[in-house]
């Protein structure tokens, strides 16, 4: 028993050290990455379920690491947040998304672009003003930009969130609640929030064919949001069976590997043009 205790201790210690070490390496490399412009943005299509036309794109950050290749946000967003780099990264993504949107408009394309915003980013008092300045600087239509805030972050302090976001909504920027169903919103507070779009979390969508209770959750969210006048996007649609179920429940928009993974802007453009309504 003693020796196994010792082993456990050694293992735990090594684990802690390797986590701390990995974190330190990522932190240092990430600081350099931001300066060296190693961060980039991928775009995942959002489609109309009825005809598959691409109506928008979600902007998702990627790290083009010089030796390790493309790194997904799951492997660095948490650390970036802990060490205070996420604001800077978020501002970069927002700026790049606005620039890309202006370029697409100039090319005669009109997908709306949705950008994820972190808690610390949207809680800054200047957040709304900064976004509006950026929109103006890039000369894009406010309604081509959508800001995604997770349900959990939005509902931490619903009154403050609503107040801070009001100027964006008033200017025509679209506001979306991300990962809906994973937080604890109540209906009353939801209707007082300035949101246009509700994104149903992938955890429910991916189970909605297999699992009865996930099916009920998705159906209930769809009924509720339609009655309250929200647009809905189902996230993480991977199969035709899921698409059929969602269509049958009156869901209008979707996003997921079935329609396209996150991809570089040039690839998104090609797909957008191929799926364009004739
Ligand atoms: P999210 O906002 O929920 O974004 C959707 C994630 O689900 C993306 O992962 C996307 O690749 C993945 N996904 C989409 N469709 C499917 C599907 O059909 N199946 C599966 N298995 N996955 C699917 P990604 O790009 O790795 O991003 C992960 C998370 O990182 C995002 O989750 C978001 O919370 C965060 N993130 C990404 N970019 C940014 C950013 O610029 N700022 C902030 N604050 N967070 C970001
Ligand atoms: Ca999102
Ligand atoms: Ca999401
Ligand atoms: Ca998610």
């Amino acid at each position: 028993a003693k020796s196994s205790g010792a082993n456990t201790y050694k293992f735990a210690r090594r684990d802690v050290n390797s986590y701390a070490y990995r974190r330190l390496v990522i932190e240092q490399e990430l600081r350099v990455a931001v300066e060296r412009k190693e961060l980039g943005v991928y775009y995942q299509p959002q489609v109309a379920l009825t005809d598959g036309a691409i109506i928008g794109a979600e902007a998702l950050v990627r790290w083009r690491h010089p030796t390790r290749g493309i790194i997904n946000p799951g492997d660095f967003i948490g650390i970036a947040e802990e060490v205070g780099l996420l604001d800077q990264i978020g501002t970069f993504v927002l700026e790049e998304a606005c620039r890309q949107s202006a370029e697409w408009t100039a090319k005669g394309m009109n997908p709306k672009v949705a950008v994820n915003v972190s808690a610390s980013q949207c809680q800054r008092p200047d957040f709304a003003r900064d976004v509006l300045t950026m929109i103006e600087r890039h000369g894009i239509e406010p309604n081509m930009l959508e800001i995604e805030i997770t349900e959990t972050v939005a509902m931490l302090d619903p009154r403050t969130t609503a107040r801070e976001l009001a100027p964006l909504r008033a200017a025509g920027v679209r506001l979306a609640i991300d990962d809906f169903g994973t937080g604890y919103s109540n209906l009353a507070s939801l209707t007082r929030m300035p949101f246009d779009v509700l994104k149903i979390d992938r955890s429910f969508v991916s189970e909605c064919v297999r699992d009865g209770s996930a099916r009920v959750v998705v159906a209930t969210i769809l009924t509720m949001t339609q009655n309250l006048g929200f647009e809905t996007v189902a996230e993480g649609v991977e199969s035709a069976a899921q698409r059929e179920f969602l269509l049958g429940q009156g869901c209008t928009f979707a996003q997921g590997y079935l329609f396209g993974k996150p991809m570089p802007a040039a690839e998104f453009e090609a797909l957008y043009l191929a799926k364009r309504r004739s």
Side-chain angles (χ1 to χ4, degrees):
K2 247 185 192 159
S3 70
S4 90
N7 282 337
T8 309
Y9 172 69
K10 230 163 91 184
F11 181 71
R13 227 174 88 105
R14 197 179 56 205
D15 240 11
V16 165
N17 284 339
S18 77
Y19 174 75
Y21 178 71
R22 212 177 75 101
R23 202 191 107 133
L24 196 69
V25 169
I26 293 179
E27 176 183 349
Q28 279 167 354
E29 290 188 342
L30 199 52
R31 289 189 191 282
V32 177
V34 173
E35 282 156 28
R36 291 192 188 151
K37 313 232 182 297
E38 288 171 14
L39 297 181
V41 178
Y42 273 22
Y43 296 89
Q44 184 177 32
Q46 294 187 343
V47 305
L49 271 172
T50 44
D51 65 357
I54 297 175
I55 52 100
E58 178 172 2
L60 295 156
V61 69
R62 292 292 182 270
W63 180 1
R64 296 190 222 90
H65 192 278
T67 56
R68 284 187 283 149
I70 301 286
I71 305 179
N72 286 341
D75 290 332
F76 65 90
I77 286 274
I79 291 170
E81 179 142 51
E82 279 174 38
V83 302
L85 280 171
L86 194 53
D87 262 29
Q88 202 181 339
I89 293 173
T91 304
F92 161 77
V93 173
L94 199 52
E95 186 90 50
E96 179 56 21
C98 289
R99 191 203 59 73
Q100 188 62 67
S101 174
E103 187 185 317
W104 282 336
T105 303
K107 289 179 172 171
M109 301 167 55
N110 59 350
K112 65 169 177 129
V113 178
V115 179
N116 294 284
V117 161
S118 69
S120 64
Q121 213 181 339
C122 67
Q123 279 157 6
R124 272 195 352 245
D126 298 340
F127 174 68
R129 206 198 55 202
D130 289 352
V131 172
L132 294 175
T133 307
M134 229 184 256
I135 287 173
E136 212 165 297
R137 184 149 32 82
H138 289 276
I140 62 171
E141 291 297 325
N143 66 2
M144 297 304 279
L145 182 68
E146 191 166 290
I147 297 290
E148 294 193 5
I149 295 170
T150 65
E151 182 188 15
T152 313
V153 168
M155 296 302 164
L156 280 175
D157 181 355
R159 275 163 190 258
T160 310
T161 309
R163 194 178 54 233
E164 304 274 311
L165 296 179
L168 289 177
R169 185 57 154 7
V173 176
R174 294 158 52 86
L175 301 174
I177 297 198
D178 201 1
D179 299 347
F180 186 76
T182 61
Y184 300 94
S185 330
N186 63 63
L187 275 177
S189 62
L190 201 60
T191 58
R192 284 196 297 267
M193 302 290 282
F195 289 96
D196 307 277
V197 182
L198 222 143
K199 300 188 74 177
I200 306 174
D201 191 65
R202 173 159 64 90
S203 59
F204 305 110
V205 174
S206 64
E207 295 298 319
C208 74
V209 171
R210 247 195 317 248
D211 178 76
S213 54
R215 193 155 53 238
V216 171
V217 171
V218 172
T220 305
I221 292 176
L222 284 168
T223 306
M224 177 193 94
T225 52
Q226 281 152 15
N227 288 329
L228 294 173
F230 291 100
E231 286 176 27
T232 40
V233 179
E235 293 193 290
V237 178
E238 293 184 355
S239 72
Q242 290 164 358
R243 180 183 58 200
E244 294 319 306
F245 170 74
L246 292 161
L247 257 174
Q249 296 296 320
C251 184
T252 39
F253 305 110
Q255 184 180 340
Y257 294 172
L258 181 65
F259 312 105
K261 290 192 172 179
M263 58 188 88
E267 257 175 67
F268 177 85
E269 264 181 60
L271 191 67
Y272 178 90
L273 295 173
K275 305 253 168 172
R276 190 175 235 177
R277 291 186 176 118
S278 39

